[in-house]
């Protein structure tokens, strides 16, 4: 699933990268494609795990380097085209060409077999919990991509799950054949059903779901919001998991707290107290003062800059953490602010 085209390019100084070569491109529809690739030297994708994503960097129309995030899956039983060679790790991403794209999806659609691009290690903010008794995996459009990698893993581990795949129609159902092959009768295809009619499906399914069910969803923000509203009637909040590379605009605006965190405040970090003005983020101020914090998305979606609140009341504006993480002090300095005059922060891991 691609990142928001409106977001700045991620900061990749601390993210190792390698070169990937395109092996195949499958056009699903005019604006949908699956790109298959392998890494140089037939190496494996570092830190790959079900539900993970990668940063892909390639040149835009004017030669500028564009970096976007995509959920990635592993292609099963793919072989090197060279005769006699052993099977090598091959991966895939699904790409949707965005109407309001600033170049990322357009550049991806220009790739051809044999082309190369830079790819980061894998990052995972959407990991499968290990102890669920049942897994409900829900994807809409290219949001189905992480569900494929999760289903592959659950199949290997013989764990109970079901996949709900929402799409406009079968012609716009990216990765459909791979899902059918992996999931069999555990795949429910829901094509052409209006969003306001999808609630019945969730209620029917969750009404008979076993205890300790984990619910995963990826897709457009409105789609995920609707799923969450219904899922939390049946499941505790810690059982609901979502991923979105597009920031939640409501959260980003501070609307949740009626803009109460828009003003200036102080932050104590690493023994120093700094002023955070209205027009700068905590991350920007710390970087200006040479108190670097690793960052990537700059939009509150990736968790790379994760910090912990020790004292004070935060104004959370990220699109990645849940109530449990907030209770543990999670704070995104790239977007979040303060409802109290001062926050004391420390690194998440010392």
């Amino acid at each position: 699933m691609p990142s928001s085209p409106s977001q700045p390019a991620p900061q990749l100084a601390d993210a190792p990268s390698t070169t990937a070569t395109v092996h195949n491109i499958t056009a699903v529809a005019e604006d949908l494609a699956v790109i298959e690739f392998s890494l140089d030297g037939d190496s494996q994708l570092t830190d790959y795990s079900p539900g993970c994503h990668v940063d892909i960097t390639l040149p835009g129309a004017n030669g500028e380097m564009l970096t976007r995030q995509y959920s990635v899956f592993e292609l099963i039983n793919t072989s090197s085209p060279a005769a006699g060679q052993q099977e090598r790790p091959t991966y895939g991403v699904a790409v949707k060409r965005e109407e309001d794209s600033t170049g990322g999806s357009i550049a991806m659609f220009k790739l051809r077999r044999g082309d190369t691009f830079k790819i980061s290690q894998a990052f995972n903010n959407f990991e499968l919990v290990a102890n669920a008794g049942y897994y409900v995996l829900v994807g809409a459009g290219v949001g189905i991509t992480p569900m494929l990698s999760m289903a592959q893993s659950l199949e290997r581990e013989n764990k109970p799950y079901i996949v709900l795949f929402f799409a406009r129609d079968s012609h716009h159902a990216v990765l459909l054949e791979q899902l059918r092959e992996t999931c069999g009768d555990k795949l429910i295809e829901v094509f052409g059903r209006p969003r306001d009619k999808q609630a019945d499906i969730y209620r029917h399914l969750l009404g008979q779901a076993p205890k300790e069910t984990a619910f995963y969803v990826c897709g457009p923000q409105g789609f995920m919001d609707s799923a969450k509203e219904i899922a939390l009637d049946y499941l505790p909040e810690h059982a609901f998991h979502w991923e979105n590379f597009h920031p939640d605009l409501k959260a980003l605006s501070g609307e949740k707290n009626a803009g109460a965190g828009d003003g200036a405040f102080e932050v104590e970090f690493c023994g120093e107290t700094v002023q955070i003005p209205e027009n700068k983020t905590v991350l920007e101020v710390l970087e200006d003062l040479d108190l670097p914090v690793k960052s990537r998305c700059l939009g509150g979606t990736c968790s790379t800059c994760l910090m912990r609140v020790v004292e004070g009341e935060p104004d959370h504006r990220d699109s990645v953490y849940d109530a449990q993480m907030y209770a543990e002090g999670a704070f995104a300095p790239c977007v979040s602010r303060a409802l109290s005059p001062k926050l004391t922060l420390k690194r998440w891991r010392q």
Side-chain angles (χ1 to χ4, degrees), residues 270-292:
C270 289
E272 294 194 36
T273 299
V274 299
Q275 298 291 325
I276 311 298
E278 293 183 6
N279 62 344
K280 280 202 168 187
T281 66
V282 174
L283 180 64
E284 289 172 330
V285 172
L286 294 180
E287 288 180 338
D288 288 346
L289 296 174
D290 199 26
L291 294 170

Side-chain angles (χ1 to χ4, degrees), residues 22 48 60 291 309:
V22 177
Y48 176 88
L291 294 170
V309 177

Side-chain angles (χ1 to χ4, degrees), residues 202-209 234:
Y202 295 135
R203 294 194 184 281
H204 175 75
L205 180 63
L206 294 174
Q208 54 188 340
Y234 299 87

Side-chain angles (χ1 to χ4, degrees), residues 91-123:
Y91 304 94
V93 296
V95 183
K96 177 178 173 59
R97 188 170 57 219
E98 304 284 352
E99 292 183 4
D100 57 350
S101 172
T102 57
S105 62
I106 294 174
M108 291 291 284
F109 262 77
K110 289 183 178 179
L111 287 172
R112 297 293 180 266
R113 185 172 182 175
D115 287 349
T116 61
F117 55 83
K118 289 293 183 181
I119 186 170
S120 72
Q121 66 188 66
F123 302 91

